[in-house]
Amino acid sequence: SGGVIGVVEYTRNDNEPWRPDEVELMKLIASEIGGSLRRAQLEKDSTTDELTQLFNYRYFLRQLTSETARPARSEPVGLLIFDIDSFKRIYSYYGSAVGAEVLRGVGRMVKALCGDQHYPARWGTDTFAVISPGLDLDAAFSLAEILRQKIEAQQYKTSQGDLRVPVSIGVA
């Protein structure tokens, strides 16, 4: 609603002024581009957890339903659900701002490790989930172990100093 969301530049190779019909066409094109950008932003906002930048719970459930309801599915789907073991202690001792910093850091780590092949989401306050199309149980366990090791090894920078967090991961 208002505000600049992008810039469209039109150029000509000749030094002729723009005709009124060309100006109207450029306005129409710019308006369509702006509408597309606004719709894309709304879509991202409706599927993304603002704090962690992972998929949100609603999108996760929709994707899980989609991945598991395909008729004659020939490939497995791995599912990981995990939480930060010490989060309540971090939140109680350091406060909500530090808790948010830790959640953002874990979200960045999960997103980086999962790449585009998986659907990482924030499931709850300190609970995360990953849908992994094509991963059988052994491969899902391997991914879970990689996530656990990397998340626990990372020092999350916060306003109260660096913190490490343990996680517990369930795999199906």
Side-chain angles (χ1 to χ4, degrees):
S1 58
V4 175
I5 58 169
V7 177
V8 177
E9 179 179 350
Y10 299 99
T11 59
R12 297 182 77 128
N13 290 337
D14 58 21
N15 289 328
E16 297 296 316
W18 295 103
R19 294 187 323 262
D21 62 315
E22 292 172 320
V23 172
E24 287 305 311
L25 179 60
M26 289 184 279
K27 286 180 183 178
L28 178 64
I29 291 170
S31 177
E32 289 298 317
I33 291 170
S36 293
L37 289 172
R38 279 190 287 282
R39 284 187 295 281
Q41 185 61 49
L42 284 172
E43 173 69 19
K44 180 182 182 294
D45 291 348
S46 72
T47 61
T48 305
D49 176 70
E50 187 176 354
L51 182 64
T52 63
Q53 295 303 301
L54 298 175
F55 292 117
N56 62 25
Y57 177 76
R58 181 178 44 236
Y59 180 83
F60 175 83
L61 288 181
R62 191 172 43 208
Q63 196 61 38
L64 183 61
T65 300
S66 171
E67 288 295 330
T68 57
R70 292 186 186 171
R73 182 168 189 84
S74 61
E75 63 179 23
V77 177
L79 177 62
L80 288 63
I81 298 178
F82 62 98
D83 67 6
I84 300 171
D85 295 337
S86 58
F87 189 74
K88 286 181 179 59
R89 184 180 56 77
I90 291 169
Y91 190 88
S92 296
Y93 187 79
Y94 295 105
S96 61
V98 170
E101 291 170 3
V102 169
L103 291 171
R104 267 193 293 280
V106 171
R108 279 192 300 272
M109 175 67 70
V110 171
K111 192 171 194 168
L113 292 171
C114 285
D116 294 336
Q117 304 88 342
H118 309 277
Y119 299 95
R122 183 172 176 206
W123 178 278
T125 302
D126 65 329
T127 305
F128 299 83
V130 180
I131 302 168
S132 298
L135 291 191
D136 63 16
L137 195 56
D138 288 338
F141 270 112
S142 295
L143 176 61
E145 185 58 19
I146 290 167
L147 282 169
R148 187 192 65 75
Q149 288 176 2
K150 297 286 187 177
I151 290 169
E152 290 182 353
Q154 179 69 31
Q155 288 197 14
Y156 298 95
K157 302 209 178 297
T158 74
S159 58
Q160 298 297 311
D162 294 352
L163 297 175
R164 286 199 167 132
V165 295
V167 294
S168 296
I169 305 178
V171 179

